[in-house]
Amino acid sequence: MSIFSDNEYIRLVKTILDNRFPVSSPKAYVHTYGCQGNLADSERMKGMLAELGYEFTDDINESDLILFNTCSVREHAEDRVFGNVGNLKRLKSEKPDLIIILCGCMMQQEHIALKIKKSYPYVSIVFGTYHMQRLPEFVYRALSKRERVFEITDTHEAEIVEGLPVFRDTSYKGWLPVMYGCNNFCSYCVVPLVRGRERSRDPEDVINEAKRLISEGAKDITLLGQNVNSYGNNSAFDITFPDLLRKINALDGDFIIRFMTSHPKDCTPELLKAMAESEKCAKHLHLPFQSGSNRILKAMNRKYTREHYLELVSIARELMPELSITSDVIVGFPGEQYEDFLQTLDLVERVKFSSLFTFIYSKREGTAAAKLQDPVSREEKGKWFKELLDLQESISVDIRRSMVGKTYRVLAESRVKEDSSLITGRTEGNVNIDFKADESKIGRFVNVKVTLAENLNLKGELI
Ligand code: SAH
Ligand code: SF4
Ligand code: F3S
């Protein structure tokens, strides 16, 4: 572990920026693709940018620095980044001093970083997932020497850097990373290749950050890791994830705790018990199953069976009857047949997820699955996908209808775009309800009675 403090580049960058922007602060536009882990990283990069003297803007055209924190989990995510970077060419030609930064998971892949180097000469700084803490140095090099910076080396002994400043967009919601990396090597997944091996944060650092979040007004804290259940493994700390959950639950304050993601192979009855017994822990479990077919689960290297998954669901529901379960699923893994897909539909039918994140398989360079034959056409996979969406929609609608007449504690989050008299809030089970209320309720827990279910939308009233 190393600690970020008194970074000499902060002072150097500040001096340059004070000269270049004597009247008003320079503006930075930060956009994050991908998962909550990336959002948490962006909050730290924004923290560093704020210390350098940048203010943040939502208008890319008025920015002096643009940072895209990228995701490589599916091809679609990568295409969006390339499209958006392509669009910056014009802006850079109008503003030669504009600093364009690409970082995160996509950049950790050599073939992508090389493509950026060659074909996007107006990108100023490229760095991968191991060098975020060096952002002030990179900005200094780009500003002072106008040099292009490329830093994508895989340090292998990736360290955890503590003490980075954090800039949060909302005070009532907090992302709290507990571990980084992944050791699971699911055969379709690029994450272990771009994020490196699992490493857990010191529990003291996690708990101190939780305390800080609570004192700054966080009401909804999500503990983050690609597989939170392996928290503490291979570390110097004698602590498990259920222990950590209980410790955070014991902190003073009015807040709820969520966590993601839990891998079914390591989701133990002990974790479910800790959840059930921790009154601040949201009764919501995100437990990705990926496929309902044992044959495909094996090919995915997921290391559990559908029977094990269903058993976990039944233990969890016995301990927490009100539990809401959500999941991730992939359609069209190489070699998947319609019979396998029917097993996925069957599992969805049995579990009754309150919502489901559905993906069509995307081939990722460097993964084991990329070498497999993939004979089913995109069109056929699209048909299966539609079948799955229809089934899940009918289940989600039924669940929402069953909520009418009941009262839920929700965290009021934001104004509804289409009707500004409404605020949208989220239940512990991660379901949104819209209700009439004024701005002052945002960021607070309120009780809302559900009055109407229109397809997937719930309306309610404050009580
Ligand atoms: N660590 C988490 C998942 C992180 S990635 C877990 O193990 O559950 C988020 C989701 O993206 C995955 O759950 C999976 O459903 C999907 N995904 C990952 N790689 C994919 C690929 N190559 N094609 C399609 N979907 C993918
Ligand atoms: Fe990817 Fe599997 Fe790791 Fe999740 S557990 S990040 S799906 S390799
Ligand atoms: Fe994407 Fe990287 Fe997260 S690949 S899903 S941003 S860990």
Side-chain angles (χ1 to χ4, degrees), residues 18 20 30 49 59 65 179 208 215 222 239 309 342 376 391 407 409 439:
D18 283 348
R20 284 203 198 161
V30 175
L49 290 174
D59 180 0
L65 179 149
M179 59 186 298
N208 284 338
S215 73
T222 307
I239 184 169
Y309 188 90
L342 287 177
V376 176
L391 171 62
T407 298
R409 187 167 92 123
E439 200 96 0

Side-chain angles (χ1 to χ4, degrees), residues 33-38 69-74 77 104-106 129 190-191 194-195 226:
Y33 301 80
C35 64
Q36 288 82 354
N38 248 20
N69 189 9
T70 64
C71 168
S72 51
V73 80
R74 284 171 293 274
C105 295
M106 256 174 96
T129 55
V190 78
V191 172
V194 294
R195 285 280 175 176
Q226 291 298 348

Side-chain angles (χ1 to χ4, degrees), residues 35 73-74 182 184 186 188-191 225-227 261-264 286-288 290 302 328-330 357 359-364:
C35 64
V73 80
R74 284 171 293 274
C182 181
N184 290 310
C186 301
Y188 50 82
C189 185
V190 78
V191 172
Q226 291 298 348
N227 176 11
T261 297
S262 220
H263 192 305
H286 183 64
L287 194 63
Q290 312 298 1
R302 288 289 286 181
D328 295 350
V329 53
I330 298 176
F357 298 88
F359 309 104
I360 293 187
Y361 170 75
S362 170
K363 183 174 171 176
R364 305 286 66 209

Side-chain angles (χ1 to χ4, degrees), residues 274-290:
M275 249 182 113
E277 289 169 5
S278 301
E279 72 287 353
K280 288 175 185 146
C281 190
K283 300 303 173 266
H284 168 218
L285 180 63
H286 183 64
L287 194 63
F289 73 98
Q290 312 298 1

Side-chain angles (χ1 to χ4, degrees), residues 264 284-293 297 304-318 320-329 342-356 388 391-392 394-396 398-399:
H284 168 218
L285 180 63
H286 183 64
L287 194 63
F289 73 98
Q290 312 298 1
S291 168
S293 153
L297 284 171
Y304 55 85
T305 60
R306 61 181 272 121
E307 292 76 19
H308 179 72
Y309 188 90
L310 291 168
E311 172 71 11
L312 280 175
V313 167
S314 100
I315 298 173
R317 288 222 161 108
E318 215 161 281
M320 297 167 277
E322 73 283 32
L323 183 69
S324 136
I325 306 180
T326 56
S327 198
D328 295 350
V329 53
L342 287 177
Q343 295 274 297
T344 290
L345 289 184
D346 179 72
L347 191 142
V348 168
E349 190 103 58
R350 283 169 194 251
V351 177
K352 307 230 181 301
F353 297 107
S354 55
S355 54
L356 197 54
L388 175 64
L391 171 62
Q392 180 56 41
S394 73
I395 294 169
S396 298
D398 283 350
I399 291 177

